[in-house]
Amino acid sequence: MASHRKPRTRVRNTGPAVGITTAALASVTLLSTQSALAAPAPKPSIEDVQKKVDDLYRQAGTATQQYNQAKEATTAQRSKVDTLLDDVAKRTEKVNEARRTLGTYAAAQYRGGTLAPTATFFLADDPQSFFDQTHLMDRMTERQTRAVSDFRTQQAKASKQRAEAVASLETLTESQATLRTSKQNVQTKLSEARGLLSRLTAEEKARLAELERKKEAEAKRKAAELAKKQAAAKAEADRKAAAAEEAAKETGSGTGTGTGTGSGSGSDADASTKAEKVMAFARAQLGKPYVWGATGPASYDCSGLTQAAWKAAGVDIPRTTWDQVNVGTRIATEDLRPGDLVFFYDDISHVGIYKGDGMMIHAPKPGANVREESIYYMPIYGSVRPG
């Protein structure tokens, strides 16, 4: 008998192909790993590390000024919100007082048996709908009309002030968010800088310190050159002044010249007195730690120190470097006097107080204390003389 079973289909064996593919992938992975191990990323030079760390500290300085700016905006906005909320509370009380007056009239009408719609009008939460009813308005006395008008006025003002308060609260929330972001940016930059420094070996740290010493020495050399130029310029100015005074005596015009000089001397004396107070305050802060966002008295950031120093001289200047640079008179570097403010970097993220001879007192950066340093330690943006 013939078999009716379906013939078995032969299945092609693909096992070897899979094995070859797996082996190939493994080989590629192994070669990639070996290649990565054989060619590690080159380690940055100490010069590169120094440049990177300096740049991170500069970025942290910029973020600090953003933080200071946001903090001032937040403080001002919070004060505005508090004032608006107080105004809203007072206005609400006036609305309630007007409502009580209306209630008094309504109660009197009720007791007198007058028209019920009038009482309903006075007690309604929304009296506007009744104003279209002219026959009701005709029944009101003059005092009642004034009371209703006052109620409407107070209610409208209260609504407006509530809207202003809500808008101010939204702005405050935005300022607080900016403040948090700025704070996080400062912390991020400082963490990156500390991380780079912590990965250096003892030998690398020594080399980095040597680079810093060379940088400081070059900055001091430039400061000495400036001091020499300033001394020569002062000597020349004194010589010309003495010659002019002698010539004035010889021509008999000493009295007229003396009056003009006296006026100028008075102005110069006032500026000199302020500068002395600024420098006395700055010197008293030497050795105190830099803390970003700090304004004293235990610690400072750069613009916090300059603001406090000039405040000690009776002059109020803004909080941030970006605002301080616009205060007072612009001064060329060779014309700097003690007390002048010197700003650094293209983004104006740092400031110091000029003390003379090309040196300044400033709060440098996190991990450092208020100290004297050459103004050429960082790239100068410009200088101003407040007051």
Side-chain angles (χ1 to χ4, degrees), residues 14 27-28 42 74 81 113 126 136 195 209 233 272-273 287 313 321 341 355 359:
T14 59
S27 298
V28 171
T74 299
V81 167
D126 182 20
L136 182 60
S272 178
T273 299
T321 54
L341 302 183
K355 71 175 288 289
M359 303 293 286

Side-chain angles (χ1 to χ4, degrees), residues 126-197:
D126 182 20
Q128 179 61 44
S129 61
F130 288 90
F131 275 87
D132 296 331
Q133 304 176 28
T134 57
H135 68 281
L136 182 60
M137 291 294 292
D138 291 339
R139 292 178 178 273
M140 293 181 180
T141 65
E142 184 180 350
R143 292 180 61 189
Q144 291 171 334
T145 303
R146 284 202 305 269
V148 172
S149 177
D150 181 57
F151 173 76
R152 292 182 64 202
T153 299
Q154 298 300 337
Q155 194 174 45
K157 289 182 178 179
S159 297
K160 181 180 179 181
Q161 287 183 327
R162 287 193 192 96
E164 290 177 358
V166 170
S168 293
L169 282 170
E170 291 175 352
T171 303
L172 176 60
T173 301
E174 293 173 1
S175 297
Q176 289 172 331
T178 302
L179 186 64
R180 287 191 296 270
T181 300
S182 300
K183 182 177 181 179
Q184 186 176 3
N185 287 342
V186 174
Q187 293 172 333
T188 298
K189 299 302 180 184
L190 293 180
S191 295
E192 288 184 45
R194 294 184 187 115
L196 280 174
L197 294 173

